[in-house]
Amino acid sequence: MTEAVNVANPDLVEDMMDEETGRRKPKGIPNTVLLIVPVIWSLFQLWITSPIPYSLGVGVLNDTASRSLHLGFAIFLAYLGFPMLKSSPRSYIPIQDWIMAFVAAFCACYLYLFQNELARRPGIPTTTDIAVACVGMLLLLEATRRVMGLPMTCVAIIFLIYVFAGPYAPDMIAHRGASLSRAASQFWLTQEGVFGVPLGVSTSFVFLYVLFGAMLERAGAGNYLTALSFALLGHLRGGPAKAAVVASGLHGLISGSSIANVLTCGPVTIMLMKKVGFSAEKAGAVEVAAGSNGQIMPPVMGAAAFLMAEYINMPYSQIIKHAFVPAILAYSSLLYIVHIEASKLGMEGIARPHRPLKTRLLRWGLTISSLIIIMGALYYLTAWIPQVFGSGAWVVFAILLAAGYIGLVLLSLRFPELPEGDSDALMHLPAAAPVLFSGLYYLLPIATLVWGLMIFEMSPGLAAYYACLFMGFIILTHRPLIAFIRKQPVAPHFKDGAARLFDSLVGGGRNMIGIGLATASAGIVVGAVSLTGVGQVLAAVVETVSGGYLPAVLIMTAMLAILLGMGLPTTANYIIVSTLLAPVIYNISAAHGLGIPLLAVHLFCLYFGVMADATPPVALAAFAASGISGGDPFKTGVQGFIYELRTAVLPFVFLYNQEILLIGIQNAFHFIWVFCTSALACMAFASATQRYMFTRTRWWEVIILLAAMVFMFRPDIPQDKLFPPYKELSPAQVMETIGSLKPEDELRLHIVTEFYEGGIKEQVVVLPFKGETAEERLESSGTFLAWDGDKLMVDDVAVNSRLEKLGVNMDDPTEVLGIEVALPRPAKWLFSIPGLLLMGVVVVTQIRKSRREQTTVAKPAVAG
C-alpha cells in the first residue's frame, strides 16, 4: 500500500517495516528459505489448531510439543532474517548465522524430540539436558536482542542473575538461590519458564490471529476499511483525520500491533490530513493515538488479551465483551479531539456529491434495518440448524456462507472498484453506499470470527482457524469469480490469488517472529518470579512504599508499565507488569473491601502498556508516523501522548466504576445511561485538556468540565459522601448478622492484625459464604472465630481461604472489630445528573461566546 503514496521519509518507513518482519533480503536459496519456512510455520499452526488431526488420529501434538516447535520456527527465522549488528551483511546470510539458527532450533525442539525421555525423569536433568538448556537460553537471549532490541534482553538477564544471586541480594529481596540444574529444569525443560503460558498462548491463539490479519491485508480488506472510513466521515469538519481514527479502529479488528496499524493506515490517512491543513506533527500524532488504541479494540487486541484470558481463567468471548465499551469510548473521544483540532483551524470536510437528506436517510435506514434483520435471522438459524441437521449442520453453514459470499461478490460488481493506496483519489469523496457494497464480502470472515467466538463460543484458536480458512478461500476465488462473471480470463486472476495467499502465509510467519520471541523471553521473567518468590516480596515492598494506599499503587504500576514499554513490546510489557503487580493491586483492593475484579486489574496493566507506544522519548509508533509525515519524531510523540491522555484516564475510572466494563449492568436503560454519561465525560475531559469546545475555554470552564467529568465517570464518589454504603456493627452482633445475611449479600468483616515482627494492618475483608447458619457460612469461607475475653478473634483459617491469601495466619493475632452491613441508598446513576448539568452550563456559555465571536468577525464585512 505504501508504494502508491509518496511518504516523506520512505527509508525510515522501510526500516520500521523491516524491524517488524526481518531486515535481511538475500537472494537465491537463502531467500527461498526465508519464504518457505514461514509458509511451513503457518501451515503447521493451522494444522495443530484444526480438528483434523483429532478426527484422523494423525499428527496430534500435546502442548509441550507444539510450543517447542513453535519456538523452533521463531528462533530459526530470527537468526536467518535479522543480522547480528547494523554493520552485518543484509544481502546474504553468514555461515555463523546458519549454524546458530540450526543449533537454536534444535535446542528449542529438544522438548519435542526427547519428550518421552524427559517425562521419565522429571526434575532430574542429565548433563546433556543442562547443556542444551544453557545453550538454548543464551541463543534465545541473542535472538531476542536481534529482533526486539536490548531492553527486553536486559530485563530477562536481570531476572536470570537474580535467580542465582539471591543469597547475595539485599535482605528485603534475598532468597536461597537456585542451582544450575534446578534453573535449567525451571526455564527450559518444563512449562514453568520459556515454554510456559505466554508461549503457549502465542502457539495456540495468537499466531492464527496474526495470520488472519495478514490474509485480510493481502486480500485488500485493509484498503477497503480505509476507503469506507473516508466515505463515511470525509465530508465532516476535519473529515480525513476522523476517518483516520475510524480506519485505525477498524484495522484494530484485524491487527494487534500499533506500529503495523500506523504503517498500514498512515500512508493514506496522514497524507490526507496534511492536505486538509493538519501539521505534519499533528497528522502523525492522530495516527499514533489511533494506531496505538488498535491494541485495545476487540476482537483481536494483540497477544495480551489472549494471555489475559489464560491468566484470569475467563473465556476470551467474555474478555471481548467487557473490553468493548472502554475501547469505543477511547476512539469516540479521539474523534472528538480531532474535531476540536479541526475547529481550531477552521477546517472543512472534503466535498461530496450532493444528495437530498431525505434520500440519504432513506438509504441508510434501509441498509441498517436490512443488516439487523439479516443478523437476527442468522442468530436464530444458528440455534435451529444444529437441532435439525445434527452432525451435518456444518455443511449447511458452509453452503449458507458460500451463498452469502457469492451474493455479495455479485453485488460488488454493480459498483466501481476502490483505488488502492491512493490518497489523491480519496480527495474526491465517493458516496458511502457504493464503497460499502463494493467490498462487503471482506467482512464475512470477520463476522465468522466474531460469530464463532460470541455465538458458538468456540475456543479463540478454533474460531480463528475457520476464519483463516474462509479468508484463504476468498483470496483464491474472489478475483477469479469476478473475472468469470465478466467473461474475462480466469487463470491470471487465480494465479494472482494464489500469489496473494502465499504472501499472506509468509507475512503471517514473519510477523510472528517478534511475538514468539517476546513471549518466550517473558517466560523467563514469569519463571524467575515463580522460582524465587519475588512476587510476594515485591507485594510487601509496594505495600510498604505506598502505605497501602491503592491510588499510589496504581500510579506506581502505570509508571512501571510506561517505563518498561519504552523498550518492550506491549505483550511482554503486559506479562511482566501483570505478573509482578496485578496480584498486589488485587490484594490491596480486597484489603480495603473494594472487591475490584481481576479482569479490571489486568486491563489496567494492558492499557498502560499500550500507552508506552505513544510515550516519548522512545514512542516507536511516533517514529513510524513521522517517517510518513515528515514531522519531528519527538514532537509527534509528545502530541500523540497528549492525545492519549484520555486513554490513561479510562483505566483509573473502570477500576472503581466497573459498570464501564459491563459489570453490574442491570438492564438496557442502565447500559445506555452508563455509556452516554461516560462518553460525555470523555468529551468533557478532552475539552478541558485541549482548552476548546465551541471556542477557547476559560479557566473556570476547565474547572467545571473536570468536575462534570468526575460526576459522570465516578458517581459513586458523591453517592458515598452523602449516603454511606455500609454501617458497622459491633463484634457482639457479628454472628447474628452473618446468620441473617441473604445469599446475594456480602460478608464484610472489619479486622486488624498485629504482627509479631512489628506493625499493624487494618482491613475490611469480603468473604464468600454458603450455608444457612452463621457457623456453616464461616466454615464455608475457611474462617473460624472465637471469643478471647471481650475480644472476638480469628481462631483459625483454612488453607487457601480468602483470609490466608490476604496474609492472615495463626502466628499473628487478628481481632474482629465489627461487621459491615449494606445500607439502602439512592441509585448510583442519579448522582451523575449534576455532571450533566455542569457540562450543560459550559455548553451554553460556549455557544454564546462562539456566537459573539462570529458576530464580531462578521461586522467589518457588513460595514464595508
Side-chain angles (χ1 to χ4, degrees), residues 48-292:
I48 64 173
T49 311
S50 76
I52 297 175
Y54 301 94
S55 300
L56 300 178
V58 177
V60 178
L61 298 176
N62 58 30
D63 286 346
T64 300
S66 299
R67 296 175 189 183
S68 177
L69 292 170
H70 180 82
L71 181 58
F73 279 112
I75 204 167
F76 181 78
L77 289 171
Y79 276 102
L80 296 187
F82 292 81
M84 179 180 292
L85 303 170
K86 290 184 177 181
S87 58
S88 299
R90 309 295 176 94
S91 58
Y92 68 93
I93 303 173
I95 185 63
Q96 65 268 21
D97 282 355
W98 283 103
I99 294 172
M100 286 191 285
F102 280 106
V103 173
F106 170 78
C107 293
C109 296
Y110 188 75
L111 273 71
Y112 165 70
L113 296 172
F114 300 98
Q115 55 184 320
N116 294 329
E117 291 85 347
L118 291 170
R120 286 194 290 268
R121 42 183 168 81
I124 313 174
T126 64
T127 303
T128 302
D129 295 340
I130 296 173
V132 169
C134 292
V135 173
M137 289 288 288
L138 291 174
L139 290 174
L140 172 61
L141 292 172
E142 166 59 13
T144 303
R145 182 196 68 80
R146 292 188 181 200
V147 178
M148 310 304 299
L150 274 174
M152 183 73 224
T153 311
C154 291
V155 169
I157 290 173
I158 288 170
F159 276 87
L160 280 174
I161 293 172
Y162 177 65
V163 167
F164 295 106
Y168 312 103
D171 291 341
M172 183 174 287
I173 59 172
H175 62 94
R176 64 181 182 179
S179 64
L180 186 61
S181 173
R182 178 74 180 91
S185 294
Q186 178 80 7
F187 290 115
W188 201 264
L189 303 177
T190 68
Q191 293 187 4
E192 299 296 324
V194 169
F195 299 95
V197 171
L199 188 64
V201 170
S202 176
T203 305
S204 303
F205 308 143
V206 178
F207 191 102
L208 290 191
Y209 284 83
V210 172
L211 176 61
F212 181 58
M215 285 181 165
L216 280 166
E217 193 60 45
R218 291 302 298 147
N223 181 61
Y224 168 70
L225 294 175
T226 302
L228 179 60
S229 302
F230 277 95
L232 290 171
L233 300 173
H235 65 285
L236 301 176
R237 186 187 294 271
K242 292 175 181 175
V245 174
V246 174
S248 292
L250 293 174
H251 276 268
L253 295 172
I254 61 176
S255 170
S257 167
S258 58
I259 297 173
N261 214 337
V262 170
L263 292 175
T264 301
C265 299
V268 173
T269 59
I270 291 176
M271 292 297 111
L272 276 170
M273 282 188 274
K274 288 179 66 178
K275 286 179 181 179
V276 297
F278 277 85
S279 67
E281 285 75 20
K282 287 192 175 181
V286 169
E287 186 58 53
V288 167
S292 297

